[in-house]
Amino acid sequence: MDASNQGMTRRDFGKTSIAAGAAALMAGAAAQGSAQRRPNILFALADDISYPHASAYGCPWVNTPAFDRVAEQGILFSNAYVPNPKCAPARSCTLTGRNSWQLEEAANHWCHFPSRFKVYTEALAEHGYHVGYTGKGWGPGHAQDAEGANRQLAGQPYNGRRADPPAGGMSSIDYAANFEEFLDAKADAAPFCFWYGAYEPHRSYEYRSGVEIGGKRADDIERVPAFWPDTEEVRVDMLDYALEVEHFDAHLERMLAFLEARGELENTLVVASADHGMPFPRAKGQIFEYGCHVPLAIMWAGGIANPGRRVDDFVSFIDFAPTFVEAAGLTWADTGMAPAAGRSLFNILQSSEGGQVDPARDHVLVGKERHDVGRPLDWGYPARGVVKDGMLYVRNFEPDRWPSGNPETGYLNCDGSPTKTAVLDTCQDPESHHYWRLCFGKRPAEQLFDIREDPDCVNDLAGDPAFRLTKDALEAQLYTALRAQGDPRMEGRGHVFDEYPYANESHRNFYRQYMDGEAPGTGWVNDSDFDADKRPYW
């Protein structure tokens, strides 16, 4: 680690005084327009971490002192979900406060971001915030305004500072040094809004770096998810992932130290999370627990009551933009943004309660359209889901399609990895092919999981008569919410998502190119993923 994990003294504020203080802070900012009084915003977003992979949650093989500090001096959330488990659509939801099915092309990965959707970073910049980012902002895809000029959706980039990372596969961007440069560039009176977008723990990894550089041991892992074979290679791959999670955390630790040294930490709203789940089979890109359920901690000494709480309310990434707008002392109308489906988290921040704070936050919606290509005509795998009362209901709208991409084209909606290879190696083995089936096989139109007893989502209860009423109730709630939000799938227009062009032109119509022997390399899967031996024989 590059900086110490020296924590600030925990303060036990009373609910009334904090609520009044925070309200006065907002009222003063709005009424007086005082940039000094408005809080700074540091949004720390890792690329691909699943819940509960932070030491604040008790995970024994990942050490995250900075995330833990944010949780200890703020709030640790146990039910934070991304609305769509892939980089570009998840980030689109975060920036707009809208679910992906409300964002036209931006529901897809590698999309053309619609010019008509304004984002919170642009709104805050218009209202006096110093706005910037380092690392990965929005993307991958193309974002332009109505005149065709490029848009920086996360703000002004700060990526010039570089350093040798601890392991191969990690970015050489010195995120913390770039944050310090960003702070140096702002006017003294201006509040800031900074997007720290690490490229870690996105693939690829230096194999065995978790063991040989991080000093980890395979038996540190208490349990391998039930949908992967429990092998040495899989455990080593998980530890390599853990080392990259810790790299993200080390830069956050340095950023907190910079803010503390400048006297800015107390007035900074710090949000630490990840854009979706880990880059492993049946996780990233899939609307199960390991794909959509992510770590979340929020700290703000000047605005959070009773720090050190653990909150069980359901939080979606569409809630961040409304929260940041309210923190800036603005109304949503002030921003000029399209109406948000998300809701500000201020009532939770200002409450002194733990557990379930807001009874209305009893569920969350998830979904997906096209992620990576590899199916005929660049079709996606449309699905929607709802999590409530310990249950996950999933509706797969095109069950005849392959959920992680076609076998002959390498299952492109799953990054290449030792774990993916281990799962694919079970494809034609009668004794272990259930791993392949769970990760890559076709799925029924409806699925239902008891995530309290089955967080791996391997025991499908949708056909169990004992759960019929539960399934029907969740389906009804999901469809009612999607209709209210104007989801084209509910209006018989779901085909529009497949018709939006894939923005990466070299990979457009990948299936046809591959079948014609003309496909380019992908860069995100292994060559062996295409092998005929990795395909089902039945």
Side-chain angles (χ1 to χ4, degrees), residues 238-473:
M238 293 172 69
L239 296 179
D240 295 344
Y241 155 78
L243 183 68
E244 297 227 351
V245 173
E246 292 170 1
H247 183 67
F248 159 75
D249 192 76
H251 281 270
L252 176 58
E253 189 170 42
R254 290 170 59 197
M255 292 179 186
L256 297 178
F258 290 153
L259 290 173
E260 195 164 31
R262 292 168 181 252
E264 294 268 23
L265 186 58
E266 184 168 343
N267 193 40
T268 300
L269 172 61
V270 181
V271 176
S273 191
D275 62 350
H276 49 69
M278 62 198 303
F280 286 71
R282 203 174 168 89
K284 175 181 178 180
Q286 307 303 320
I287 61 171
F288 302 126
E289 278 289 283
Y290 278 81
C292 290
H293 196 177
V294 294
L296 173 63
I298 300 179
M299 176 174 75
W300 179 19
I304 286 181
N306 191 21
R309 288 180 283 140
R310 181 162 176 155
V311 167
D312 299 327
D313 294 53
F314 281 92
V315 174
S316 171
F317 272 41
I318 60 174
D319 298 326
F320 291 150
T323 301
F324 297 157
V325 166
E326 184 169 359
L330 304 173
T331 67
W332 197 257
D334 293 331
T335 68
M337 296 168 65
R343 295 179 293 135
S344 171
L345 298 169
F346 256 62
N347 64 328
I348 295 176
L349 303 185
Q350 296 176 358
S351 171
S352 62
E353 301 300 319
Q356 186 74 35
V357 177
D358 181 352
R361 288 188 173 276
D362 63 350
H363 72 283
V364 69
L365 305 181
V366 295
K368 58 181 286 191
E369 286 292 336
R370 182 177 65 228
H371 287 169
D372 289 310
V373 288
R375 300 183 190 87
L377 303 177
D378 289 344
W379 287 332
Y381 190 81
R384 304 286 188 270
V386 58
V387 183
K388 183 178 182 180
D389 293 335
M391 307 296 291
L392 166 63
Y393 170 78
V394 175
R395 177 68 167 91
N396 300 307
F397 292 103
E398 298 287 350
D400 288 337
R401 298 180 187 176
W402 295 97
S404 293
N406 280 40
E408 62 271 29
T409 49
Y411 309 92
L412 294 188
N413 198 32
C414 180
D415 298 336
S417 69
T419 301
K420 181 180 180 182
T421 298
V423 172
L424 291 181
D425 284 345
T426 71
C427 178
Q428 299 190 19
D429 180 359
E431 298 298 320
S432 60
H433 79 268
H434 62 282
Y435 295 118
W436 175 88
R437 177 178 53 79
L438 286 167
C439 292
F440 299 110
K442 290 184 178 179
R443 298 168 185 163
E446 292 183 294
Q447 295 175 287
L448 181 70
F449 303 99
D450 182 346
I451 57 177
R452 294 163 298 194
E453 301 296 326
D454 176 27
D456 295 347
C457 299
V458 297
N459 183 22
D460 186 359
L461 303 171
D464 188 332
F467 290 89
R468 176 64 183 271
L469 293 178
T470 298
K471 180 180 73 68
D472 289 350

Side-chain angles (χ1 to χ4, degrees), residues 193-211:
C193 175
F194 192 77
W195 175 299
Y196 161 34
Y199 282 101
E200 293 77 25
H202 194 287
R203 299 281 177 179
S204 59
Y205 305 155
E206 178 182 332
Y207 187 63
R208 294 191 61 82
S209 58
V211 173

Side-chain angles (χ1 to χ4, degrees), residues 130-150:
H130 178 54
V131 179
Y133 81 97
T134 188
K136 184 172 181 176
W138 174 83
H142 302 306
Q144 297 178 322
D145 63 20
E147 285 70 45
N150 289 335

